[in-house]
Amino acid sequence: MQRVFSGVQPSGALHVGNYLGAIRQWAIDQHRADSFYCVVDLHGLTAEHDPADLRQRTLETAIGLLAAGLDPDVCTLFVQSHVHEHAELTWLLECTATVGELSRMIQFKEKGDGRESVRAGLFTYPVLMAADILLYDADRVPVGDDQRQHVELTRDVARRFNSRYGETFVIPEAAVPKVAARVMDLQHPERKMSKSVDSPLGTVSILDPPDVVARKVAKAVTDTDGEMRYDPEAKPGLSNLIELLASATGRSIDDIVGSYDRYGPLKADASEALVSVLAPVRARYEEIASEREHVVSALEKGADKARSVASLTLRKAQEKIGLLVPGTF
Ligand code: TYM
């Protein structure tokens, strides 16, 4: 059976980019593969954060994932810091990755913006992500387009480790959806929709009520030439709405482009489609949030299962790299 791993940062409310770009696929994959999904709270320490907020958002993110359809009896859902192996394997991989390759990471360049004051963890962040994936021998990593380069780095580091120290890690592959792999901010369609950027009108949360979704989509920035065409470079706002509609309904981009000649009706259908995709998620969220003890016990069970897999991989890696592992000498 294939192994799947993916993760999400608890850096803010989950939005339709997270859902359509990644999490919806996780809910499907859990029935087809041995799936591990993780709320990556250690990654949440790489940018400025408030400790109490981080704790709260970690729990809310887990509730969001359950509401989005992850079933803790089917997949393994856990919080990254509950499995100490993630931080430990990171060190071995930091001594495998190079400063050169980490310096080429687009997300570091964008978020770091050349500032000396950014946390060192922001720089080494992709190595922690590599450890997440490699601990579980994952074959496939369902992610949005922005994580593609990090999965590539994971592959490079795993291959290097294997060739230096002997076969240890499975080489994973990124699985990126054909549409909605990069959902853009509705107000600033030249940048991606993001949990950590404050753009109240540009970001659609998975918990937004229908009237709020409708208002945000109606106000989405498009262009003034009025020409119905899918062209993410020249017409990013319109193309984003076309992709959202395609992703939410399963219709093809060509079909959508061929069936509208004005932006208004396209916006109306896009907002209706988003509302109906999000309706069951919203309905489940409140219910799950009211059963806090179930969430906590699901996460405990998930961490136990994750630890049982991660501890074996970590031990193997420690032995291969030359540590004096207790019980093996
Ligand atoms: P994060 O928390 O930013 O996003 C979670 C998932 O949502 C996808 N995503 C998007 N997809 C489409 N359009 C968007 N605007 C959009 N924004 C986010 C992301 O690609 C991601 O799949 N580093 C990761 C978390 C992580 C991880 C891992 C992922 C840590 N360890 C191991 C996979 C495997 C991140 O910050 O995702």
Side-chain angles (χ1 to χ4, degrees), residues 142-156:
V143 283
D145 185 63
D146 61 333
Q147 298 302 321
R148 217 189 265 274
Q149 194 189 27
H150 293 160
V151 179
E152 247 343 283
L153 175 86
T154 303
R155 289 163 60 83
D156 291 343

Side-chain angles (χ1 to χ4, degrees), residues 5-11 14-23 26 38 40 43 80 107 111 125 128-130 132-133 141-148 150-151 180-185 192-195:
F5 181 93
S6 204
V8 56
Q9 286 201 58
S11 45
L14 295 175
H15 53 66
V16 292
N18 300 131
Y19 183 69
L20 299 175
I23 295 164
W26 304 1
C38 186
V40 293
H43 279 95
Q80 188 182 35
Q107 213 170 64
K111 287 194 182 169
Y125 162 123
L128 176 58
M129 179 161 160
D132 298 340
I133 297 168
V141 185
V143 283
D145 185 63
D146 61 333
Q147 298 302 321
R148 217 189 265 274
H150 293 160
V151 179
R182 193 176 193 83
V183 172
M184 308 308 270
D185 185 292
K192 69 173 188 200
M193 194 179 282
S194 164
K195 287 189 239 86

Side-chain angles (χ1 to χ4, degrees), residues 21 39 114 127 148 185 202 204 217 223 271 274 276 295 316:
V39 181
V127 187
R148 217 189 265 274
D185 185 292
V204 177
V217 174
D223 53 66
S271 96
L274 284 179
S276 70
V295 179
K316 184 156 93 178

Side-chain angles (χ1 to χ4, degrees), residues 15-307:
H15 53 66
V16 292
N18 300 131
Y19 183 69
L20 299 175
I23 295 164
R24 186 172 59 166
Q25 187 57 43
W26 304 1
I28 297 170
D29 278 338
Q30 68 181 337
H31 299 292
R32 299 192 192 146
D34 186 16
S35 304
F36 289 72
Y37 300 122
C38 186
V39 181
V40 293
D41 55 347
L42 297 175
H43 279 95
L45 303 176
T46 57
E48 216 170 293
H49 76 287
D50 173 77
D53 256 15
L54 177 66
R55 243 188 310 273
Q56 177 66 17
R57 283 200 311 257
T58 300
L59 193 60
E60 285 169 4
T61 303
I63 297 170
L65 295 179
L66 293 166
L70 298 191
D71 179 345
D73 292 326
V74 176
C75 67
T76 304
L77 175 65
F78 67 104
V79 173
Q80 188 182 35
S81 65
H82 295 180
V83 182
H84 62 77
E85 284 81 357
H86 289 246
E88 282 183 71
L89 182 62
T90 298
W91 180 251
L92 307 195
L93 299 181
E94 279 181 12
C95 297
T96 308
T98 67
V99 169
E101 63 195 348
L102 293 182
S103 307
R104 288 192 285 278
M105 293 296 113
I106 295 164
Q107 213 170 64
F108 173 70
K109 287 195 221 169
E110 282 175 0
K111 287 194 182 169
D113 200 20
R115 283 169 295 137
E116 295 233 321
S117 58
V118 294
R119 299 181 181 187
L122 187 68
F123 184 62
T124 56
Y125 162 123
V127 187
L128 176 58
M129 179 161 160
D132 298 340
I133 297 168
L134 298 178
L135 276 175
Y136 299 93
D137 289 339
D139 304 289
R140 225 151 53 77
V141 185
V143 283
D145 185 63
D146 61 333
Q147 298 302 321
R148 217 189 265 274
Q149 194 189 27
H150 293 160
V151 179
E152 247 343 283
L153 175 86
T154 303
R155 289 163 60 83
D156 291 343
V157 169
R159 281 203 209 93
R160 191 173 310 140
F161 192 104
N162 286 352
S163 76
R164 249 181 225 165
Y165 308 114
E167 254 345 273
T168 310
F169 298 122
V170 170
I171 310 298
E173 257 180 55
V176 178
K178 289 205 177 67
V179 282
R182 193 176 193 83
V183 172
M184 308 308 270
D185 185 292
L186 297 181
Q187 286 297 309
H188 302 276
E190 67 292 343
R191 69 174 192 225
K192 69 173 188 200
M193 194 179 282
S194 164
K195 287 189 239 86
S196 49
V197 174
D198 193 29
S199 176
L201 267 181
T203 310
V204 177
S205 154
I206 58 166
L207 300 178
D208 278 346
D211 59 318
V212 174
V213 176
R215 193 168 67 240
K216 289 179 180 174
V217 174
K219 291 197 162 165
V221 169
T222 49
D223 53 66
T224 49
D225 72 19
E227 192 191 338
M228 187 58 64
R229 183 158 56 88
Y230 177 75
D231 182 344
E233 286 286 311
K235 299 167 80 73
L238 181 67
S239 303
N240 193 38
L241 292 169
I242 294 172
E243 282 212 38
L244 284 171
L245 179 56
S247 174
T249 56
R251 289 171 67 186
S252 74
I253 286 180
D254 285 350
D255 171 39
I256 292 170
V257 170
S259 26
Y260 298 89
D261 44 20
R262 286 179 307 120
Y263 296 174
L266 171 79
K267 280 185 166 180
D269 285 0
S271 96
E272 195 182 313
L274 284 179
V275 165
S276 70
V277 161
L278 298 178
V281 182
R282 281 188 72 220
R284 281 191 297 252
Y285 190 93
E286 291 312 322
E287 199 182 313
I288 296 166
S290 67
E291 299 170 343
R292 196 168 186 271
E293 64 287 4
H294 286 172
V295 179
V296 172
S297 81
L299 293 175
E300 278 172 4
K301 187 177 82 167
D304 286 345
K305 168 87 191 298
R307 224 176 280 120

